[in-house]
């Protein structure tokens, strides 16, 4: 009899412990949601739109469009480089070409970035087949604004990056605590938000459904955000070794030397699919060719070759496949975070999951607001719900204030950003 009572008491205490544990995780999850739901929703929304920001600019700027869709590997670089040198001298006398690169797909015209005599940057666009000059613009666009806002609240330096990437900790905690207090959380995959049972039930169901479907994506976003945070607080990965070039070359001199440099790269690095060319003057009297060589999950800058224009000799060469672990993680962070690793299929998936993560944050804010009303003093429900309800009122007010502060920071810094990009 004593043993039976002891076992029963042990089971009862275990159940109480589990309930108390779930209540703690619930309270932590609710506190984050009430305070930061709308801030996280704002950052998720801007990041989601940034996935296709280049295409939005493409719709707004006819000069960005390739007249005939041309695979990036079929770009006639010799004609584009010659046209860029001529355009820089005629459009911006005294201007210096810095970089020429392809767009994200075949429908984009190659772009040259030119440092104007006044210090600003201009973008030139060229037909990928004929090299014909199609027009110019400033750096200002949907892509530049969205990325500045999303990554650093349009602030200069690392302060904005620190603020934004620091939220990845709370995003990760919010996702993990949801799994800890929601028993059988995976049922959210088949949850259909119920109508006719009140707004609180509908938004609660929607929150669980969006949480299940966006969970893995959210963890990936939080993990890459933590890496960006580590780069600001701990230190960046070692850069690839790139030797400099002596001297300096004018635009026409560089254009005349380009065919030999291109032939050298084609012969010595045949696997390099060129995506970007750094112009002599930016790096001295030499061209630096960047692109993809089949290495998975790296940016084009991971794979490069530098060619001296005077001697035609290769000065350096590196590939992301031979990078150290820290550098390799750094190169993979952007393609994974932005969804560029698999072209339009991965970017479309990232956009859809980003929209779900935005909806998850927004629905969390609505649920917190409903609990604030439902859990008012004298209201019904168990004690964790009442606790969350009472705290949610203060939390929602604090969260709205945080979002207002973020928008004020953006509004304060955006004019400087626009002036710099124009």
């Amino acid at each position: 009899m004593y043993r039976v009572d002891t076992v029963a008491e042990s089971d009862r205490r275990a159940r109480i412990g589990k309930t108390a544990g779930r209540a703690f995780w619930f309270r932590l999850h609710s506190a984050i949601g009430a305070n930061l739901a709308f801030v996280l929703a704002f950052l998720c929304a801007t990041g989601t739109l940034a996935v296709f920001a280049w295409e939005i600019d493409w719709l707004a700027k006819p000069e960005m469009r390739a007249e005939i869709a041309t695979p990036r590997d079929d770009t006639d670089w010799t004609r584009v480089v010659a046209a860029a040198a001529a355009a820089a001298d005629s459009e911006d006398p005294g201007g210096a070409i810095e970089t020429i690169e392809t767009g994200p797909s075949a429908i984009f015209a190659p772009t040259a970035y030119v440092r104007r005599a006044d210090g600003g940057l201009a973008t030139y666009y060229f037909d990928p087949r004929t090299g014909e000059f199609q027009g110019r613009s400033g750096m200002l666009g949907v892509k530049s604004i969205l990325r500045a806002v999303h990554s650093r609240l349009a602030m200069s330096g690392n302060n904005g990056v620190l603020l934004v990437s620091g939220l990845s900790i709370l995003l990760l905690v919010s996702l993990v605590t949801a799994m800890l207090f929601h028993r059988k959380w995976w049922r959210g995959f088949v949850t259909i938000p119920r109508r006719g049972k009140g707004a609180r039930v509908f938004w609660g169901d929607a929150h669980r459904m969006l949480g299940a479907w966006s969970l893995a994506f959210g963890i990936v976003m939080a993990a890459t955000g933590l890496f960006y945070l580590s780069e600001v607080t701990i230190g960046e990965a070692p850069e690839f070794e790139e030797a400099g070039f002596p001297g300096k070359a004018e635009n026409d001199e560089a254009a005349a030397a380009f065919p030999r440099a291109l032939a050298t790269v084609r012969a010595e690095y045949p696997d390099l699919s060129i995506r970007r060319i750094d112009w002599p003057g930016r790096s001295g009297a030499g061209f630096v060719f960047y692109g993809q060589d089949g290495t998975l999950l790296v940016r084009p800058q991971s794979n490069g070759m530098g060619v001296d224009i005077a001697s035609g000799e290769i000065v350096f060469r590196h590939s992301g496949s031979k990078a150290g672990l820290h550098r390799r993680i750094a190169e993979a962070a952007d393609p994974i975070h932005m969804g560029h690793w698999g072209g339009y299929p991965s970017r479309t998936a990232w956009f859809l999951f980003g929209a779900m993560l935005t909806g998850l944050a927004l629905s969390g804010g609505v649920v917190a607001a409903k609990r604030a009303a439902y859990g008012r003093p004298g209201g019904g429900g168990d004690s964790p719900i009442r606790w969350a309800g009472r705290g949610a009122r203060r939390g929602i007010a604090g969260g709205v204030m945080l979002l207002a502060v973020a928008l004020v920071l953006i509004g304060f810094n955006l004019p400087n950003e626009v002036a710099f990009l124009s």
Side-chain angles (χ1 to χ4, degrees), residues 191-206 208:
T191 295
I192 298 177
R194 290 168 288 178
R195 294 180 176 275
K197 293 185 177 293
R200 191 177 69 84
V201 172
F202 173 82
W203 286 108
D205 287 349
R208 283 187 288 274

Side-chain angles (χ1 to χ4, degrees), residues 256-289:
F258 178 79
R260 182 172 68 164
L262 178 63
T264 299
V265 173
R266 298 293 195 203
E268 300 297 331
Y269 202 165
D271 294 334
L272 186 68
S273 177
I274 299 171
R275 296 289 180 265
R276 166 180 158 180
I277 301 170
D278 278 0
W279 192 263
R282 176 186 175 94
S283 54
F287 285 99
V288 184
F289 296 81

Side-chain angles (χ1 to χ4, degrees), residues 79-312:
R79 290 183 175 181
V80 169
V81 164
D89 290 336
S90 61
E91 296 289 325
D92 286 291
I97 299 173
E98 292 199 347
T99 299
I100 304 176
E101 66 180 13
T102 61
S105 71
I107 64 174
F108 285 83
T111 305
Y113 298 92
V114 179
R115 182 68 61 182
R116 303 191 305 257
D118 62 4
L121 274 174
T123 52
Y124 296 2
Y125 303 98
F126 304 90
D127 187 285
R129 299 170 298 107
T130 66
E132 181 182 355
F133 177 60
Q134 297 185 171
R136 69 189 294 275
S137 68
M139 292 289 291
L140 183 64
V142 173
K143 177 172 71 73
S144 56
I145 294 297
L146 275 177
R147 290 188 176 176
V149 168
H150 175 72
S151 64
R152 50 188 171 84
L153 300 179
M155 298 170 64
S156 59
N158 288 330
N159 291 333
V161 178
L162 185 64
L163 286 172
V164 173
S165 59
L167 290 173
S168 60
I169 299 174
L170 297 177
L171 173 61
L172 183 60
V173 172
S174 181
L175 294 170
V176 172
T177 53
M179 291 189 290
L180 292 174
F181 79 79
H182 266 308
R183 290 180 294 181
K184 300 180 180 180
W185 59 265
W186 53 87
R187 289 181 177 177
F189 285 112
V190 293
T191 295
I192 298 177
R194 290 168 288 178
R195 294 180 176 275
K197 293 185 177 293
R200 191 177 69 84
V201 172
F202 173 82
W203 286 108
D205 287 349
H207 191 62
R208 283 187 288 274
M209 180 190 71
L210 292 168
W213 282 100
S214 62
L215 176 63
F217 177 79
I219 290 174
V220 170
M221 293 298 103
T224 50
L226 285 173
F227 178 77
Y228 295 140
L229 179 63
S230 73
E231 285 194 308
V232 176
T233 57
I234 300 175
E236 298 184 358
E239 296 288 347
F240 291 104
E241 292 186 7
E242 294 188 355
F245 303 93
K248 185 179 179 180
E250 299 299 329
N251 290 334
D252 55 351
E253 179 186 356
F258 178 79
R260 182 172 68 164
L262 178 63
T264 299
V265 173
R266 298 293 195 203
E268 300 297 331
Y269 202 165
D271 294 334
L272 186 68
S273 177
I274 299 171
R275 296 289 180 265
R276 166 180 158 180
I277 301 170
D278 278 0
W279 192 263
R282 176 186 175 94
S283 54
F287 285 99
V288 184
F289 296 81
Y290 296 106
Q292 297 290 356
D293 64 359
T295 304
L296 295 177
L297 293 179
V298 295
R299 298 177 297 176
Q301 294 92 319
S302 297
N303 314 299
M305 174 176 282
V307 181
D308 188 284
I309 66 170
S311 65

